[in-house]
Amino acid sequence: MPLFSFEGVSPTVHPDAWIAPTATLIGDVVIEKGVSVWYGVVIRADLGRIIIREGANIQDNSVIHVNVGLCEVGRNVTVGHMCLVHDCTVGEQALIGNGSTVLDKAEIGERALVAAGATVTPGTVVPPETIALGSPAKKFVPLSDSARAWVDHNAGIYQELAQRHRDGIAPVEQS
């Protein structure tokens, strides 16, 4: 896994986390226990600190960056495929849908769901246990039963899948 120090500050990765071999972590990044960081992800903390809390999963080709200060992804959060999470706070067990963008100083509440393709603009507060819809995300509705199921179960699914990847991937020799 590519880990890079920046100006003398290196990423810290808990030994029980799984980082895909093609993910890149740069600078003041803290990865807690049980986190999975998937293929092609870039987490760059060259201006401030990024903390990915226990059990979270950052899926393929997502980017997390921070300005001066702190960007925090809470416990058991799912950041879906190809998301941009920039200089914001994502509350515990929230789900950031595939292709979504969450921008500067936005706050995503606990167990909230940012719909696939939504854009949460700077400074927006998404209340806990709601779905944020639109680009820009201006509509907030209560979690439906199907959305609640995703929020309830996605982190656990990815924790198990990360163990399978830790144990089951190997480079393929090419002839």
Side-chain angles (χ1 to χ4, degrees):
M1 89 187 97
L3 300 178
F4 297 95
S5 68
F6 178 76
E7 296 179 345
V9 180
S10 298
T12 303
V13 177
H14 191 282
D16 290 334
W18 179 74
I19 311 297
T22 58
T24 303
L25 281 58
I26 303 157
D28 195 1
V29 176
V30 177
I31 302 292
E32 293 187 347
K33 179 180 180 177
V35 166
S36 60
V37 178
W38 292 81
Y39 305 94
V41 167
V42 174
I43 303 176
R44 180 167 56 95
D46 48 2
L47 300 173
R49 173 175 262 199
I50 297 171
I51 301 175
I52 311 297
R53 297 286 181 199
E54 183 174 341
N57 64 94
I58 314 302
Q59 295 177 11
D60 310 72
N61 295 315
S62 287
V63 174
I64 301 177
H65 185 247
V66 62
N67 290 327
V68 176
L70 174 66
C71 178
E72 184 172 1
V73 174
R75 291 186 58 217
N76 294 316
V77 162
T78 293
V79 174
H81 308 284
M82 295 180 57
C83 292
L84 171 61
V85 174
H86 194 270
D87 196 31
C88 59
T89 301
V90 181
E92 185 171 328
Q93 206 166 343
L95 193 154
I96 310 301
N98 294 342
S100 296
T101 300
V102 182
L103 294 172
D104 303 46
K105 306 306 178 213
E107 295 179 23
I108 308 302
E110 291 184 7
R111 298 180 47 75
L113 188 153
V114 175
T119 299
V120 179
T121 55
T124 299
V125 176
V126 176
E129 300 223 3
T130 61
I131 304 171
L133 300 158
S135 187
K138 291 186 182 266
K139 183 176 181 183
F140 306 113
V141 299
L143 288 178
S144 64
D145 289 342
S146 63
R148 188 175 312 283
W150 281 103
V151 168
D152 288 344
H153 301 293
N154 204 68
I157 290 166
Y158 268 83
Q159 289 163 9
E160 180 182 325
L161 188 56
Q163 290 303 314
R164 290 176 58 200
H165 277 258
R166 178 192 305 267
D167 298 338
I169 64 166
V172 175
E173 295 292 325
Q174 297 183 26
S175 48

